Amino acid sequence: MLKSFLGYFSNDLSIDLGTANTLIYLRGRGIVLNEPSVVAIREEHGRGGKVLEAVGANAKNMLGRTPGNITAIRPLKDGVIADFNVTEKMLQYFIKKAHGSRYFRPSPRVLVCVPYGSTQVERRAIRESAEGAGARKVYLVEEPMAAAIGAGMPVHEARGSMVLDIGGGTSEVAVISLNGIVYAASVRIGGDRFDEAITNYVRRNYGILIGEATAERIKQEIGSAYPGQEVKEISVKGRNLSEGVPRAFTLNSNEILEALQEPLQGIVGAVKAALEQTPPELGADVAERGIVLTGGGALLRDLDKLLTEETGLPVVVADEPLTCVARGGGRIIELLDEYGSAAFTVE
Amino acid sequence: MSQDDSNNRPAANAQPEEEPSVGQRLIEAREAQPLSLAQIAAELRIEAHLLMALEEDRLEDFAAPVFAKGYMRQYGTLLGLDERDLIAQYYRQVDTRDVPVMQQKPIRLRDENQIRLWLAAAVVLVLLIVGVVVWWTRQPTVEPVIDDGAEPAIEEPEPVAAVVVRPRLQVAEPPIAVTDRPVGPVPTALPVAPPDALVDSDLVAVELDFTEDCWTEVSDARGERLFYGLGSAGARSRFNASLPISIFLGNASGVELTVDGERYPIPPESRQGNLARFVIADLDR
């Protein structure tokens, strides 16, 4: 009762609850929040409880740098909730922050994007954490659909559109026609696996241990998916395993390309499998128009070139690939109001 | 991202008339290089007719802007053009930035809009209820009074204990008899007489002399309470009231009643011990 009343003071939200980043699209305002999905928790022995120390970007800075009484954790893993209570707290904080300083506790309608491959249990966990965070009504929509709409693909047509959304934890490839998913697959390879691959490569070849944040920085600055003309270099510091002391060293983009081969081949394999499974008519449409890349992974340099070479199809990167899912989710909320729930498969 | 600043930067010195279009720039760049359209199509895996559409600025040939922009970026990068510049120019050339996701309304039986209908219906219902309550409470409460003087029908709160007094001690029939009466005059007379007429015709002066303490309730034809309380010994109370007047006395022997200057004996039938409950219906002047 109170929730429905407060609902009149709250705007609809679309949340891309990602493993790496959480984005919130506020209806009528656009993307209002883009923060890492990280929570830092302080244990208070005196009061016997846990207190939120930081959420989002502040908490991410603490990753791997916390003392014993603080734990910085990423409550989502592979696109689904790994720690229910922390996810709920994080969502509550983000929803409040997205609404700005209001006198009312926000109680919006919330659309959350879930990975295509997620199970009923995982979806229920996401729904309940969103409800626990104050949502009046929760819609769940599959990520590839939101990504395609956010990228501006003509999903309503009776023609095939293929979208590849590379997130932090999962990559999803889908063929969409007539507002529905014809074929989709989700592989648990994403930005995190890229970071992990870089960390492993450096440890194996240099005998140096680097942290998650450093690996991510390397990926963003010199990472590429296809050999380019220029070779970039970066200087990083890590702990030398044999000597046990921090050391500086230099990496170049060809090394990172080599490091990323395994996860990249996983994604390419998923795309090829999807093309194999696509009905021939839709496959022909995809072959003509190409594949659209969305998600933070699409920002990896020359990933489109790699996919073009491997599949022989045109591959284009959407505008602002990082926000496609959240924007698409926002558009879906509007369409639900406009056309009713029959328009899209939402739960 | 950098979309905004790349939008603003060239727009400042843009000269729409002289500026070559995206297609013209692509053609120029391609002709400056020893590359044929077929070679580029093979390199980018984009069909040649789509590249030609780009060169001829036929942007409506593309299924969605996302494809046009994507091909334009790749084509431009291959030719050594600045992709951000090209995209910024693309936005100046076209108005639509978004693709219509759905053009036709799907057939649907039920949708969320019904919630709004329900809400509207609920609001109307609430207003209706409030209106009825207000109207009800503001209705004037008038007792039914017979104005032809023939058959006074008097409603008593407690008909069992009550006795209705007609012209000088004559007991009226119980009100039930009135409603059961088959013949017409009484029901037709039931509609309320104008209050003014009532006051003029039947106004009498009532005087209560208390010789002992006595709980007293007096109400007039309209049911208005003229006296309600304990009359203490030695007090005298006087008021004008319209007939019929209903009177309850807790200690009947301690009160002397005067109506229009004449002593009015308390009808013995109405007494129950020391209590008396009776109605002065008519004085028979």
Side-chain angles (χ1 to χ4, degrees), chain A residues 180-255:
Chain A
I181 292 174
V182 180
Y183 171 87
S186 178
V187 285
R188 304 214 157 179
I189 300 172
D192 289 351
R193 282 287 295 277
F194 294 161
D195 298 346
E196 214 174 281
I198 292 171
T199 310
N200 290 340
Y201 178 88
V202 171
R203 193 179 56 221
R204 215 168 40 235
N205 292 22
Y206 288 82
I208 289 175
L209 203 59
I210 54 171
E212 263 180 70
T214 308
E216 191 179 358
R217 190 164 61 87
I218 295 170
K219 176 186 70 179
Q220 286 171 350
E221 290 190 13
I222 64 165
S224 75
Y226 196 74
Q229 285 98 353
E230 54 169 343
V231 175
K232 291 181 177 175
E233 288 195 338
I234 187 172
S235 174
V236 288
K237 295 173 188 71
R239 173 158 57 90
N240 188 309
L241 285 169
S242 58
E243 296 170 23
V245 287
R247 285 270 178 270
F249 62 104
T250 308
L251 283 168
N252 71 33
S253 51
N254 285 336
E255 288 172 305

Side-chain angles (χ1 to χ4, degrees), chain B residues 56-74:
Chain B
E56 290 162 19
D57 291 312
R58 283 185 281 115
L59 297 173
E60 65 282 357
D61 280 17
F62 297 93
V66 61
F67 296 111
K69 282 181 283 183
Y71 301 155
M72 198 179 286
R73 276 202 195 97
Q74 295 187 347

Side-chain angles (χ1 to χ4, degrees), chain A residues 150-151 299 317-324 327, chain B residues 1-12 22 65-66 68-70 72-73 82-94 96-98:
Chain A
L299 295 170
V317 180
D319 279 347
E320 296 185 46
L322 205 61
T323 61
C324 274
R327 282 186 290 126
Chain B
M1 261 173 60
S2 57
Q3 202 66 60
D4 290 337
D5 52 35
S6 66
N7 253 337
N8 296 336
R9 188 162 34 85
V22 174
V66 61
K69 282 181 283 183
M72 198 179 286
R73 276 202 195 97
D82 182 8
E83 61 172 73
R84 282 173 27 188
D85 221 32
L86 273 184
I87 295 299
Q89 198 176 344
Y90 165 85
Y91 280 131
R92 287 199 296 276
Q93 258 175 267
V94 296
T96 52
R97 295 190 60 154
D98 206 1

